[in-house]
Amino acid sequence: MEYASSHGAGMAFRTLSPEQIREIHSASCRVLEEVGVVVHHDEAADLLKRAGAYTGSDGRTYIPNTLVKRALATAPSRITLYNRLGEPALWLEKSNVYFGTGSDTLVYLDPFTGERRPWQSADVAMALQVVDALPNLDFVMSMGLLSDVDRRMINRAQYALMLKNSIKPQVVIAEDRGTVEDIFEMAAAAAGGKEALKHRPLFVLYCEPTSPLQLPFESVDKLLLAAENRIPVNFACGAVAGASTPITVAGTVVQANAEALCGLVVHQLKNPGAPFLYGYGDSPLDMRTMMAVYAVPEALLLQGCLCDLARYYSLPSWGYAGCGSSKVFDEQAVVEGTMFTLMGALQGCNLMHDVFYIESGRTGCLEMLVLTDEVVSRVRYLLKGVNTTPEYLAVEAIMRVGPGGNFLGDEHTARHFRESWGSTLSDFNNYETWAAGGSKTMGTRIREKLREIMDNYRPTPLAPDTEREIDGILRRAEERLGG
């Protein structure tokens, strides 16, 4: 078994001390017990009541700490995600780190013309193929909100495109229970049946509470459905610090943690032992522009907190990488995307999404995909740490070469030089050689790589019978919805 990324000895970043972790956990439990939540779902409210929660005349449900403890005791500490070929691909546990795209951006930024326009199905299909081709991106999401299909069918159509254009594991957005049921059916067609899919999950379902402290019907309905079918799921607050959560990082973590734990309690009451992914995010409100912004230092600190809490709870973690608030693929985009990716890896966040988001998630940028693929390659090399076995300490090689010599012709160099990190994008020539090759900037090389992938890469196709079955599921959904 080979993990995509695991931390080498000592190569990690921790944000909270053990005492701070206990303080945050205690504060979140106080919020659930003393402030309460509003549950807009009868079955979930009944599950909580029968387990010992109290619903007051104010409509709030107050959740005792014992339910949190019980849920943490039954939730699994690892989740394995499989690819479309039925192979184990992602092991979500400890500090393993994986990277993938985001979903539902509104604007497609054409990498060759700079045009901004709504996503079409062909754009999403091509973007998914680019992700499938890039070796350091591990999972796919739906990329863009389709403008050329019935709006009630968008999530279903997106999922069919994900299955047809990539074999990689998936994270799925769905507007309601019916959409999840159709997506589950399509995934089962690709995985060899519903029981096989439960045993070898192909996707994680992404659900959110409504902050502050509300459990909306649609999200809880999907959460319960995921528990029933053992679909890995999160319940991840999308905080806007200063608006939907407190302005401070610690305050946002306390509330977001309370909301995630509340989702976990409901989920484990429905089906103890079902897989749950712990996490949330923060796009703090910039008080100068009144915009929710990505990849600022506060967001990175919050992600560090949630990773430390996830390890404290022994739960797999969910977070962000490779995204930012720049409007185009410029220096700001590179700084924000690179910092988020490196920090997320050092923090040991298991499943990081939103690679390719710019404009705080409104626009999808394929150049960011290719750039982040390179950044992840560098990061994974870093995470290996330093080998200090005798062969790598190289004392014998130093003795052979001696003072004033060089290592170019030594056998030790010959044995190990291929282990050095290599790049397919970065240029390490001198200026004259670089100029003779056309003076290509990183941006130019990225667009050339995109063109090469778009013109030549073809994903592993679905079996014809499976593709017909998926198309049939889409057709029946359209008929059911009156399309």
Side-chain angles (χ1 to χ4, degrees):
M1 181 183 299
E2 182 176 349
Y3 294 112
S5 297
S6 58
H7 290 264
M11 186 67 73
F13 183 90
R14 297 293 179 260
T15 305
L16 299 171
S17 69
E19 180 59 26
Q20 287 178 307
I21 292 172
R22 288 190 290 271
E23 288 171 351
I24 289 173
H25 174 69
S26 177
S28 297
C29 289
R30 280 194 61 198
V31 169
L32 292 175
E33 283 188 335
E34 300 172 23
V35 182
V37 298
V38 177
V39 182
H40 298 279
H41 193 286
D42 289 345
E43 182 185 355
D46 187 55
L47 283 169
L48 288 165
K49 181 180 178 181
R50 284 190 281 116
Y54 166 70
T55 300
S57 58
D58 56 3
R60 298 183 187 183
T61 297
Y62 300 87
I63 300 173
N65 187 35
T66 51
L67 294 190
V68 175
K69 283 185 177 178
R70 189 193 305 175
L72 288 170
T74 56
S77 60
R78 83 189 306 248
I79 297 171
T80 302
L81 285 181
Y82 292 73
N83 65 23
R84 172 159 60 76
L85 305 179
E87 300 163 338
L90 313 182
W91 294 270
L92 309 182
E93 64 173 344
K94 300 178 182 176
S95 292
N96 299 335
V97 296
Y98 301 98
F99 301 86
T101 70
S103 66
D104 299 323
T105 56
L106 299 174
V107 177
Y108 173 71
L109 180 62
D110 189 301
F112 306 109
T113 67
E115 179 191 11
R116 289 167 50 84
R117 55 182 167 81
W119 287 83
Q120 304 280 310
S121 297
D123 300 325
V124 169
M126 183 56 73
L128 289 163
Q129 291 183 22
V130 171
V131 181
D132 199 62
L134 294 172
N136 295 298
L137 297 183
D138 303 298
F139 65 95
V140 297
M141 291 186 71
S142 60
M143 316 291 286
L145 203 62
L146 301 176
S147 63
D148 56 346
V149 303
D150 184 327
R151 60 186 302 178
R152 297 168 298 178
M153 289 291 295
I154 287 176
N155 293 150
R156 296 173 176 86
Q158 287 171 325
Y159 189 69
L161 289 171
M162 290 161 70
L163 280 175
K164 293 177 182 179
N165 291 284
S166 175
I167 66 165
K168 293 185 176 180
Q170 310 139 354
V171 177
V172 168
I173 299 284
E175 59 184 320
D176 55 25
R177 172 179 280 258
T179 306
V180 178
E181 288 172 340
D182 285 337
I183 287 173
F184 186 73
E185 197 172 344
M186 284 188 271
K194 292 183 179 180
E195 290 306 312
L197 181 61
K198 289 179 184 179
H199 182 66
R200 297 192 295 270
L202 175 58
F203 68 88
V204 170
L205 179 62
Y206 186 178
C207 298
E208 290 187 355
T210 300
S211 302
L213 300 170
Q214 294 194 80
L215 277 62
F217 176 84
E218 292 81 5
S219 290
V220 175
D221 214 33
K222 291 180 288 184
L223 185 71
L224 295 175
L225 180 65
E228 289 171 21
N229 290 284
R230 302 188 65 81
I231 302 168
V233 65
N234 63 13
F235 200 67
C237 155
V240 181
S244 65
T245 62
I247 189 68
T248 57
V249 172
T252 289
V253 173
V254 167
Q255 183 187 309
N257 185 43
E259 292 170 346
L261 292 175
C262 184
L264 174 68
V265 168
V266 172
H267 181 260
Q268 292 297 300
L269 286 174
K270 180 65 177 179
N271 188 5
F276 185 90
L277 192 62
Y278 168 88
Y280 32 84
D282 181 23
S283 306
L285 192 65
D286 181 272
M287 296 299 177
R288 296 162 298 181
T289 61
M290 300 309 289
M291 297 294 293
V293 292
Y294 274 34
V296 291
E298 294 91 334
L300 274 59
L301 282 169
L302 175 131
Q303 182 154 293
C305 295
L306 83 84
C307 290
D308 291 344
L309 283 158
R311 281 183 285 273
Y312 176 67
Y313 296 140
S314 294
L315 292 173
S317 56
W318 162 261
Y320 296 73
C323 55
S325 294
S326 184
K327 266 51 73 180
V328 296
F329 183 58
D330 63 0
E331 291 83 351
Q332 180 183 342
V334 173
V335 168
E336 292 173 337
T338 300
M339 279 197 70
F340 222 156
T341 302
L342 175 59
M343 286 304 298
L346 292 174
Q347 291 160 345
C349 190
N350 294 147
L351 201 64
M352 288 174 273
H353 76 306
D354 283 357
V355 171
F356 106 124
Y357 272 14
I358 60 173
E359 200 193 357
S360 299
R362 288 176 55 83
T363 296
C365 174
L366 301 192
E367 291 142 296
M368 280 288 280
L369 281 179
V370 179
L371 175 83
T372 307
D373 185 74
E374 169 94 352
V375 173
V376 173
S377 171
R378 290 173 180 255
V379 164
R380 285 190 165 138
Y381 193 90
L382 284 174
L383 292 183
K384 293 178 181 176
V386 177
N387 189 334
T388 54
T389 58
E391 169 68 11
Y392 284 79
L393 290 173
V395 174
E396 286 74 16
I398 296 169
M399 288 178 175
R400 282 193 299 272
V401 172
N406 75 71
F407 292 87
L408 272 175
D410 190 78
E411 62 192 63
H412 187 266
T413 304
R415 279 201 302 274
H416 295 289
F417 79 94
R418 290 185 178 85
E419 299 169 12
S420 301
W421 178 79
S423 170
T424 59
L425 273 182
S426 297
D427 185 284
F428 299 127
N429 290 298
N430 61 25
Y431 180 85
E432 287 74 19
T433 306
W434 173 75
S439 304
K440 295 178 182 177
T441 65
M442 185 66 149
T444 299
R445 295 193 294 273
I446 285 174
R447 285 183 285 279
E448 286 181 348
K449 184 165 184 174
L450 272 172
R451 175 54 66 198
E452 196 275 334
I453 292 173
M454 290 178 172
D455 287 348
N456 300 306
Y457 180 78
R458 296 294 176 268
T460 303
L462 286 164
D465 288 350
T466 303
E467 188 155 347
R468 280 192 292 275
E469 193 171 348
I470 290 168
D471 291 339
I473 294 166
L474 287 176
R475 192 166 52 253
R476 289 193 292 277
E478 284 179 330
E479 292 168 358
R480 198 168 61 245
L481 294 170

